[in-house]
Amino acid sequence: MRNIILFGAPGAGKGTQSAIIREKFDFAYISTGEILRNEIKNGTELGKKAEEIINRGELVSDDIIVGMIKSFISANNNKDLLLDGFPRTVKQAEALDEILNSLQRGEAKVVELEVNKNVLMQRLLKRAEIEGRKDDNEQTIRERFNQYDAKTAAVAEYYKKKGGYISIDGEHGTPQEISVKLIEVLEKL
Ligand code: AMP
């Protein structure tokens, strides 16, 4: 079973690319951010806890996120996995390794979409106009970048050391053109 992590900074195109590649491959797909936004919309306890954190641009606790991922993977253990927005800390990456190990699913493979920070900011501000996500305002975006630099960038380093890391240019070209490169990589993983 394949365990693919689609990795990248906020605005790198993880959601957009996930949607395109899911038309081609039969992945069990989870976006932790999307799940949290649904919890907020439905006014659940978890949603109430997560809302302020997300609107500040900070990260939800590792325990909550790992719990979500654990149940998702266990429920989809017969399928290839596509993880979007997880892991975002080295702790989450280590927890993922343990889960995959205990289910004998093999190693995770990371594909990073690399995009320059200035381009990311422009994309996120544009998305704010279209989708109206509450955390797509300049102040929160800056904090999300800070969190990425402080906690999430280390996840790429973790997989570079461990093996199973590959990056592609997520900046130049249309989403369709970028997806062609991504699909090429996924076909070999
Ligand atoms: P995203 O849709 O992936 O950009 O996620 C939106 C927000 O949800 C993030 O800024 C975090 O506050 C929270 N979130 C999503 N995934 C995680 C995660 N793996 N760990 C911690 N917080 C997360």
Side-chain angles (χ1 to χ4, degrees), residues 32-34 36-37 54 58-60 65 85-86 88 92 133 135 144:
T32 41
E34 202 175 287
L36 293 167
R37 280 187 290 282
I54 292 180
E58 294 169 11
L59 295 186
V60 173
I65 299 284
F86 174 92
R88 259 178 158 97
Q92 291 179 14
R133 255 177 68 165
D135 59 347
R144 286 159 66 201

Side-chain angles (χ1 to χ4, degrees), residues 5-14 56-60 84-90 92 110-117 120 124 140-160 165-168:
I5 298 168
L6 193 53
F7 188 81
K14 301 185 293 292
R56 282 201 301 268
E58 294 169 11
L59 295 186
V60 173
D84 164 1
F86 174 92
R88 259 178 158 97
T89 64
V90 169
Q92 291 179 14
V110 176
V111 185
E112 174 164 10
L113 296 166
E114 277 200 283
V115 181
N116 173 294
K117 276 255 165 71
L120 292 172
L124 289 168
T140 306
I141 293 167
R142 293 220 178 275
E143 182 53 30
R144 286 159 66 201
F145 286 167
N146 288 341
Q147 296 278 330
Y148 180 85
D149 291 340
K151 299 173 186 164
T152 309
V155 172
E157 299 309 312
Y158 175 85
Y159 288 105
K160 278 180 199 168
Y165 170 92
I166 192 158
S167 81
I168 64 169

Side-chain angles (χ1 to χ4, degrees), residues 1-3 26-29 75-81 105:
M1 292 286 112
R2 295 193 295 171
N3 311 298
D26 185 24
F27 280 118
Y29 168 73
N76 290 282
N77 197 18
N78 57 338
K79 292 190 104 180
D80 287 341
L81 288 178
R105 290 191 54 99

